[in-house]
Amino acid sequence: MFHNLNQNQQAQGGAAYDAAEKRAAERWPWLIDPDARWNKKHEGFSVDPLAGVERLDKRLIRVLAIDGGGIRGIVPATVLTAIEERTGRPISDLFDVFAGTSTGGLLTLGLNALKDGADWGSTEPQYSAKEIRDIYLERGPQIFSRGKRWMLKTAGGWLGPKYPATGLEAVLKEMFGSRRIADTIRRTLITSYDTERRTPVTFASDCLRFAEPRNPNPEMWQVCRATSAAPTYFPPFRLKADYSDERGPGWNFGDPFSLVDGGVAANNPALWAWYESGLGREAHSLLIVSLGTGYAKGQFKYDVIKPYGKLQWITPVLELLASGANETTHTQLNYFLNGTWQDPRDRTPEGAERIPNRPATAIRAPQGTYDVNFADGLDQRTRWTRYLRYQPQLHKAAAAMDNVHKWNLSALQEDAERYIRENEGDLFELADFLDTLADLRPAHPNH
């Protein structure tokens, strides 16, 4: 479906680069302007050692983070499908770093699984975003399936996990085969949580660089199984911790892992993605795109939940905890990355013009919750939006992570498509921006 970026650039010589630089000069001149203020002085807590060394397009690290949400993974998969169709590129060609939790972990690894039989040095993925969305639509009922015997054994999920892991594991093994986390196309991080060690576990694609007890190198299907083992829905996943037979004595981490859904630690993995980027406070060299799996307004009305006890709270409390964690992460990243974190000595001078964070050439998200930028006397933007959050509202679809009725699968796709139509300008501006960056500086490989 997609061309190989490196081969394509070699075939075109400098034509693609020249065209991209022209587009950038017309639409995002600050991206390639070596005299832009963020190339001269870092407005944050510390000085960015890269600032002023190269243009922003040469050093900008592009990061994609995808939330958890079960079958609602259809929503971000649909948004990513629109971006792939706009750019004609796989998502793995548009970002340097990926992070995913639960269903976002499945999406992340699916987008970064190298195509079967690919030549050495190829970056062609096995799946497009559309193909992964189709897997949700077609195989979702298999993932969230249970027979009468299971329902009797668990009393409908009250005395055991609501679903056996057999359907989920069958789909994951078919998708990923024997691929391992270290084999991803781009640098990738997937979250989980160890119930015995009581600590987050991050499966990172750079795991072969060092031996670290929270970062082994399991197969991709195992990583997806671990990150999606949502409590009450699926059983926890037992993963061996002794890899000494494969990698030597330094790879024996003791007792096996007892892993549950990454949403226990970070349902929105965008903060982990920032960490994985390696940039720390050097935020001028960072762009994070965060995709949610959709939310429904008015789910938990006061008059409805007021009389709830333990029994009634079992299901909604999981949704509320995940939603609260998502929005907390969003608030923190918006605060730190979108302009409110400048040193007090670098406040806007008195009389400076205050301009919206949405000029025609701005890369933005449609939430309307982003802080404004400032302009000085030369009408030059001093900061730019480094963090974008796209979280569609569910109008027709149910928010339940396991609702795989045919009508709801269609409704999830329809809600995502509605969101794309309503925010086409923002999403296509982002797609064009990422497409241009891919020609100016191709995405970094995993190794």
Side-chain angles (χ1 to χ4, degrees):
M1 177 179 178
F2 303 108
H3 58 261
N4 182 282
L5 181 61
N6 294 330
Q7 294 174 350
N8 186 64
Q9 284 192 327
Q10 291 172 2
Q12 294 188 31
Y17 179 90
D18 292 343
E21 194 164 62
K22 182 178 180 181
R23 287 196 305 275
E26 294 173 349
R27 300 176 64 177
W28 313 287
W30 45 269
L31 181 64
I32 61 173
D33 180 7
D35 294 322
R37 284 187 62 174
W38 46 79
N39 279 342
K40 299 298 183 184
K41 177 176 179 292
H42 187 14
E43 300 166 25
F45 297 129
S46 61
V47 175
D48 183 347
L50 295 177
V53 176
E54 292 183 297
R55 302 181 327 190
L56 182 59
D57 62 304
K58 301 301 183 186
R59 67 177 194 270
L60 183 65
I61 301 297
R62 294 100 69 177
V63 178
L64 176 64
I66 309 176
D67 290 7
I71 196 62
R72 299 201 314 269
I74 291 171
V75 174
T78 301
V79 173
L80 293 172
T81 295
I83 292 176
E84 285 189 339
E85 291 174 348
R86 175 76 173 184
T87 63
R89 300 176 189 266
I91 295 298
S92 58
D93 276 356
L94 301 177
F95 294 93
D96 302 292
V97 178
F98 290 76
T101 291
S102 193
T103 195
L106 187 154
L107 255 170
T108 292
L109 290 181
L111 295 168
N112 280 279
L114 190 63
K115 188 176 182 63
D116 288 333
D119 295 333
W120 175 258
S122 172
T123 58
E124 185 178 359
Q126 179 71 21
Y127 303 103
S128 66
K130 181 181 183 300
E131 288 169 332
I132 299 176
R133 183 188 66 186
D134 290 344
I135 291 174
Y136 280 113
L137 294 171
E138 297 167 7
R139 307 293 292 278
Q142 178 183 350
I143 293 172
F144 295 100
S145 63
R146 52 184 177 169
K148 292 182 179 179
R149 181 176 296 181
W150 185 268
M151 291 184 67
L152 288 172
K153 176 183 177 182
T154 64
W158 291 104
L159 299 178
K162 190 174 182 179
Y163 303 100
T166 50
L168 172 61
E169 290 185 2
V171 172
L172 295 177
K173 290 176 181 178
E174 184 178 327
M175 281 187 68
F176 297 109
S178 60
R179 295 179 180 87
R180 291 185 177 270
I181 183 71
D183 300 328
T184 56
I185 297 171
R186 307 296 175 200
R187 194 168 174 181
T188 302
L189 180 141
I190 309 296
T191 65
S192 187
Y193 186 85
D194 188 332
T195 62
E196 294 186 4
R197 293 174 174 82
R198 300 295 292 272
T199 183
V201 174
T202 55
F203 298 103
S205 60
D206 63 355
C207 57
L208 297 185
R209 298 180 187 177
F210 51 86
E212 207 276 336
R214 289 180 291 174
N215 189 22
N217 184 29
E219 295 182 359
M220 288 186 186
W221 79 264
Q222 294 175 315
V223 175
C224 287
R225 172 67 176 84
T227 192
S228 57
T232 76
Y233 288 93
F234 292 109
F237 183 61
R238 198 67 161 169
L239 179 67
K240 75 171 187 176
D242 184 359
Y243 292 84
S244 57
D245 57 336
E246 303 172 23
R247 307 208 50 85
W251 287 77
N252 184 349
F253 306 133
D255 294 333
F257 298 98
S258 171
L259 300 171
V260 295
D261 194 301
V264 171
N267 199 61
N268 177 349
L271 273 172
W272 279 104
W274 185 4
Y275 166 79
E276 185 65 11
S277 74
L279 289 178
R281 291 178 174 177
E282 297 158 18
H284 273 122
S285 304
L286 180 69
L287 172 65
I288 296 179
V289 176
S290 174
L291 295 184
T293 56
Y295 74 99
K297 282 188 174 180
Q299 279 181 278
F300 308 109
K301 297 287 189 181
Y302 171 78
D303 291 336
V304 175
I305 65 174
K306 181 180 178 181
Y308 277 14
K310 291 182 180 180
L311 188 63
Q312 295 97 328
W313 270 115
I314 288 175
T315 298
V317 74
L318 295 175
E319 172 91 12
L320 286 173
L321 288 174
S323 176
N326 289 348
E327 296 312 308
T328 298
T329 299
H330 165 64
T331 301
Q332 291 169 334
L333 284 172
N334 185 39
Y335 179 82
F336 282 112
L337 295 181
N338 285 347
T340 61
W341 71 321
Q342 78 270 27
D343 189 287
R345 294 166 296 180
D346 194 31
R347 299 292 186 188
T348 306
E350 185 177 355
E353 183 185 0
R354 192 176 174 93
I355 62 173
N357 197 19
R358 296 187 171 193
T361 58
I363 309 304
R364 60 181 185 170
Q367 266 63 37
T369 58
Y370 296 96
D371 301 290
V372 297
N373 287 315
F374 300 99
D376 58 20
L378 299 176
D379 195 31
Q380 182 182 30
R381 295 181 68 208
T382 62
R383 282 172 278 132
W384 65 286
T385 304
R386 305 172 183 93
Y387 163 73
L388 302 167
R389 172 75 170 166
Y390 299 90
Q391 172 69 303
Q393 182 179 348
L394 302 180
H395 297 274
K396 294 183 178 181
M401 62 172 282
D402 62 338
N403 189 330
V404 290
H405 290 100
K406 189 173 182 179
W407 67 266
N408 196 54
L409 298 177
S410 298
L412 286 167
Q413 184 175 341
E414 289 175 17
D415 281 339
E417 290 172 346
R418 172 178 176 169
Y419 180 82
I420 293 167
R421 290 193 302 272
E422 291 177 348
N423 302 285
E424 183 177 279
D426 293 338
L427 285 168
F428 286 178
E429 181 83 359
L430 173 65
D432 293 348
F433 182 72
L434 293 170
D435 185 38
T436 299
L437 281 170
D439 279 327
L440 292 173
R441 198 271 292 161
H444 294 306
N446 178 30
H447 300 295

